[in-house]
Amino acid sequence: MYEISLNINGQVNKFVRNGEPGLGDTTAALKVQQQQLRMYAREDGPTNADFDANEANLANFAVNFWNGQFSRVDVIAGATKSLKSLDSINKAIADALDDGEEPEEPAKKSRTRTSKKRSTTSTTSTKPDLQTVTN
């Protein structure tokens, strides 16, 4: 279940979507991701047009993801920090991009101790003994 709360006309409204993301959601999430990658990859940083496009993409994604229960304007005007609306949208995007497989954890190397004795540091030098030989 996915929930988002939006402040619409001064009133907090909660919207729910049941069911996992589908192909359309994944495609929309890819569009959001691609635009964000391009905007942050700019050598001189994102432009105002980039931020506007990002806002529109996030709002469009939310409207489509929650099956048109609210408008794009509702998202832009009513997604507030205190309601964690953007967190809800970002979670939906992340889930839409998730391939559903568990990430592989790197194999942990474990050293098996063969002795119960405490490890000690070797004090034996591997340098040749420098003695002066006199004849």
Side-chain angles (χ1 to χ4, degrees):
M1 175 169 69
Y2 294 89
E3 293 182 2
I4 187 170
S5 293
L6 300 172
N7 186 337
I8 301 172
N9 298 323
Q11 185 173 353
V12 175
N13 295 275
K14 184 187 285 187
F15 302 93
V16 175
R17 173 196 165 142
N18 292 310
E20 63 183 312
L23 177 60
D25 300 315
T26 299
T27 302
L30 286 168
K31 289 176 184 177
V32 170
Q33 182 184 52
Q34 185 63 32
Q35 188 274 329
Q36 288 176 346
L37 288 171
R38 275 194 306 266
M39 82 183 226
Y40 287 114
R42 290 186 191 275
E43 194 171 302
D44 56 345
T47 65
N48 288 343
D50 290 326
F51 288 120
D52 291 342
N54 186 57
E55 179 184 77
N57 285 341
L58 289 169
N60 287 334
F61 177 87
V63 169
N64 292 326
F65 189 83
W66 275 275
N67 300 312
Q69 297 180 65
F70 44 81
S71 73
R72 219 178 115 199
V73 172
D74 292 336
V75 175
I76 293 169
T80 65
K81 186 176 182 178
S82 63
L83 295 175
K84 299 184 179 182
S85 310
L86 195 54
D87 291 347
S88 298
I89 296 169
N90 285 329
K91 179 180 179 349
I93 289 170
D95 287 356
L97 293 173
D98 185 13
D99 64 7
E101 293 188 19
E102 294 294 320
E104 288 185 31
E105 290 186 30
K108 294 181 181 177
K109 292 182 181 181
S110 63
R111 285 185 11 182
T112 305
R113 291 185 77 179
T114 57
S115 172
K116 300 281 184 194
K117 292 181 183 177
R118 199 171 159 187
S119 298
T120 59
T121 306
S122 174
T123 58
T124 308
S125 175
T126 57
K127 295 181 182 176
D129 191 11
L130 301 176
Q131 294 180 345
T132 307
V133 179
T134 55
N135 292 348

